[in-house]
Amino acid sequence: PGCCLSRSLLGFLLFCLVLAAATAGVVWYVGPSLAAIVLDGDRRENPYYLLQLLPAAAVTGDVGDPSYRARFVTLAAEDDAVLLWQGGEADVVQGSVLLDVVAAQVLEFPSGADLVQVLTSTAYRVLDRGLSPRLVRHLGTGTEPLPLAPDLASVVVLYRFDEAAGALPLGRPGEVGWLRLVPDYGGKVRWDAPINVIGSDESWNRVLMLQFPDSAAAEGWLADPLTVTERAIAAKDVDELTALVVQPGAFSPR
């Protein structure tokens, strides 16, 4: 019996070693963020949403040459991804002044595995080569946004928050906290989700997306003294908060 037990234990240990080696191989090949999607059955098999923050170099192409943004959408469509929303010009109104973001877009992939396939493909590596060091921020989540209107101004808020601390720290529209006055300016929350940063160094782990009738309303909400005060109060629970105001885009969802 002792011998059988030893053999069983040895077999289990060998299985663990093989599993660890396979996991390490996946991490080495695709990187830790994409490996987390591959190894998580829920994210791997279900619809997955990608928020892209794009630098100036990604939205301007040479004469007769499509931009990175357009080429990425075309590449993603080959794996049945759908462009859900594409904003116009984006301005960083809070956060690092060194953050080069001039546009944003949201795509839906049939599954996390499809996103991994795109971002590890030869075609993507060729596309990404011209933007080294990596300047496009890829942010992924399995949480679906509410329908995003292309003709409204958007505020995209990215921040880091310790989920173990309890309730989300930015409050509730019309009630309390940083979001309290959102309805007063005609705004609505369209996306509030955990998010994973793919392939860059930012530490954000949540995205909040609001839409307003126009950029004046969005900027008015951000500049309102009560909003500013509540943001200062929330600062003790929130790190690395970045806010973008994104103008309406010319994109029409299908």
Side-chain angles (χ1 to χ4, degrees), residues 6 17-18 20 42 63 72 80 86 131 136 160 164 180 182 186-188 197 212 229-230 238 254:
S6 297
L17 286 173
V18 170
D42 189 54
V63 176
F72 183 87
D80 298 323
Q86 190 176 77
L131 289 175
V136 176
R160 180 169 184 80
R180 179 176 172 183
V182 165
K188 294 182 179 179
V197 178
F212 292 84
T229 299
E230 291 291 352
V238 169
R254 57 191 172 105

Side-chain angles (χ1 to χ4, degrees), residues 10-159:
L10 179 60
F12 175 72
L13 291 175
L14 286 173
F15 169 77
C16 290
L17 286 173
V18 170
L19 181 61
T23 301
V26 170
V27 172
W28 172 81
Y29 182 70
V30 303
S33 298
L34 293 182
I37 298 174
V38 172
L39 299 173
D40 182 332
D42 189 54
R43 285 187 284 178
R44 183 179 65 245
E45 298 171 6
N46 291 312
Y48 203 72
Y49 302 88
L50 180 70
L51 168 63
Q52 281 189 316
L53 305 182
L54 302 163
V59 298
T60 56
D62 297 328
V63 176
D65 182 26
S67 66
Y68 172 102
R69 173 170 61 178
R71 291 164 63 195
F72 183 87
V73 170
T74 299
L75 177 62
E78 294 176 3
D79 278 273
D80 298 323
V82 177
L83 181 62
L84 297 182
W85 170 84
Q86 190 176 77
E89 182 179 351
D91 294 308
V92 180
V93 295
Q94 186 160 341
S96 172
V97 296
L98 300 178
L99 185 63
D100 179 14
V101 177
V102 301
Q105 61 188 20
V106 176
L107 297 96
E108 177 184 11
F109 286 78
S111 68
D114 291 295
L115 171 62
V116 173
Q117 182 167 299
V118 168
L119 294 183
T120 57
S121 67
T122 300
Y124 176 73
R125 287 196 293 272
V126 170
L127 173 61
D128 193 49
R129 194 173 297 153
L131 289 175
S132 183
R134 291 185 178 180
L135 296 175
V136 176
R137 274 78 176 181
H138 300 286
L139 311 170
T141 180
T143 302
E144 181 181 7
L146 294 173
L148 300 171
D151 58 342
L152 299 180
S154 303
V155 174
V156 178
V157 181
L158 300 157
Y159 62 99

